[in-house]
Amino acid sequence: MLCGLELPCGAACADPRLLAELARRAEDAGWDGVFLEDYLVYNAEPDCPTADVWVALAAMAAATSSVRLGTTVTGGARHLPWELARRVATLDQLSGGRVVLGLGVGDPKDDAYARFGGVSDPRVRAQLLDESLRILVGLFSGERFSFAGAHFRVDDVLFQPAPVRVPIWIGGGWPGRAAVSRAARHDGFLPYRRSSDDRYSDAPEELSAADVTAILERVRADRGAVEGFDLVVGGRRRRADWSAERLHVATVAEAGATWWMEWVPPGTPDEMRTAVSQAPLRP
């Protein structure tokens, strides 16, 4: 199992220089990936300092040599897909093929869509995401590509330079059919446990081994196999009992999860440095 850190893009981490330093420290500590939350306005706080994640990831790529880099996750409805494709392809070239693109319908509690006049209807967001995914895959292919959909159109484009290879991970709620089926058409799934108000839960038992098994059964049914497919679990802060945490990581790894994500909450720069310098709790 690979281990990744999820960092905020706001508060102290609005400084891309700090994010670059944190990525380098994480690489030195043995983490396999460093990923950024992606918000226009961090944590739905209109006065919170927030970084542009693509500029920050470029700084992080320049400061590191081996960790995977990406977003967990970017709201597909917030971007024109060809502009997103160009940013991601350029970052992938800069990093030497280390980029992972996490995409989803959008955080239910992210009010930036409403604040900036964006699409708030989750059904329309899902349509935009699905068309964007088709365009991203087509543009990343390195071949001439055209597309005509309800929302977007691309006319006979050869998108160069093509990225080395960008895995696309889909974020979404579990249990539920839509997100995991969308993920099965791509390279990975970052599930979060749905609650009554569809908000992320920080409970220690976020996803169990039984959940992992059920998700992989759905993926296998949709794509025929799970080889080469990433199931990314965790996404919360490390619990105080490290032995219990390591046991849980081992349990979901045995069930078939391929990545464990640990979230580092916003803090002072020194608190963030200390957190990312801790080695991952590998099973």
Side-chain angles (χ1 to χ4, degrees):
M1 170 177 271
L2 300 175
C3 294
L5 284 174
E6 289 183 289
L7 302 180
C9 64
C13 288
D15 183 350
R17 295 163 297 187
L18 176 61
L19 286 170
E21 178 191 344
L22 297 177
R24 185 177 65 252
R25 287 175 177 266
E27 184 173 84
D28 291 343
W31 293 89
D32 301 297
V34 183
F35 301 85
L36 294 182
E37 298 175 297
D38 187 359
Y39 292 95
L40 277 172
V41 176
Y42 187 68
N43 206 26
E45 298 176 10
D47 56 351
C48 184
T50 306
D52 180 281
V53 298
W54 304 104
V55 174
L57 285 166
M60 294 160 69
T64 58
S65 61
S66 62
V67 288
R68 303 305 298 265
L69 300 165
T71 57
T72 52
V73 297
T74 293
R78 267 187 30 219
H79 298 271
L80 293 174
W82 40 86
E83 292 184 354
L84 181 60
R86 182 59 77 203
R87 294 188 188 101
V88 172
T90 300
L91 180 63
D92 199 56
Q93 292 287 329
L94 174 65
S95 68
R98 293 187 283 134
V99 175
V100 177
L101 177 59
L103 283 172
V105 172
D107 188 334
K109 68 178 183 293
D110 183 3
D111 68 350
Y113 292 90
R115 289 184 183 275
F116 293 100
V119 176
S120 297
D121 186 332
R123 292 169 297 181
V124 178
R125 284 197 210 175
Q127 295 168 9
L128 290 165
L129 174 60
D130 286 332
E131 289 196 13
S132 294
L133 284 163
R134 291 181 63 184
I135 292 169
L136 287 162
V137 170
L139 294 177
F140 287 162
S141 70
E143 301 176 356
R144 302 200 77 84
F145 174 73
S146 297
F147 175 82
H151 301 280
F152 299 122
R153 177 173 175 168
V154 178
D155 290 327
D156 191 29
V157 173
L158 179 61
F159 212 66
Q160 294 291 332
V164 178
R165 182 182 179 273
V166 177
I168 296 176
W169 293 348
I170 302 299
W174 173 263
R177 181 72 182 176
V180 68
S181 294
R182 184 178 289 117
R185 298 193 291 271
H186 297 282
D187 304 295
F189 186 36
L190 300 104
Y192 69 89
R193 167 71 67 183
R194 285 189 183 276
S195 60
S196 59
D197 60 358
D198 199 29
R199 290 174 180 262
Y200 183 84
S201 167
D202 197 32
E205 296 76 25
E206 173 62 11
L207 281 172
S208 67
D211 290 316
V212 170
T213 299
I215 290 168
L216 291 175
E217 287 176 354
R218 287 274 184 93
V219 171
R220 185 177 288 107
D222 284 345
R223 61 187 278 146
V226 295
E227 288 72 23
F229 183 85
D230 281 316
L231 180 54
V232 187
V233 299
R236 53 167 174 75
R237 73 186 70 190
R238 184 180 296 191
R239 74 183 84 190
D241 186 340
W242 286 17
S243 295
E245 184 80 322
R246 194 186 304 276
L247 177 61
H248 180 67
V249 174
T251 300
V252 294
E254 185 176 0
T258 61
W259 278 82
W260 175 261
M261 288 289 189
E262 183 174 310
W263 178 58
V264 179
T268 67
D270 283 344
E271 288 171 341
M272 304 293 291
R273 292 181 181 106
T274 298
V276 304
S277 297
Q278 295 175 336
L281 296 178
R282 297 189 186 276

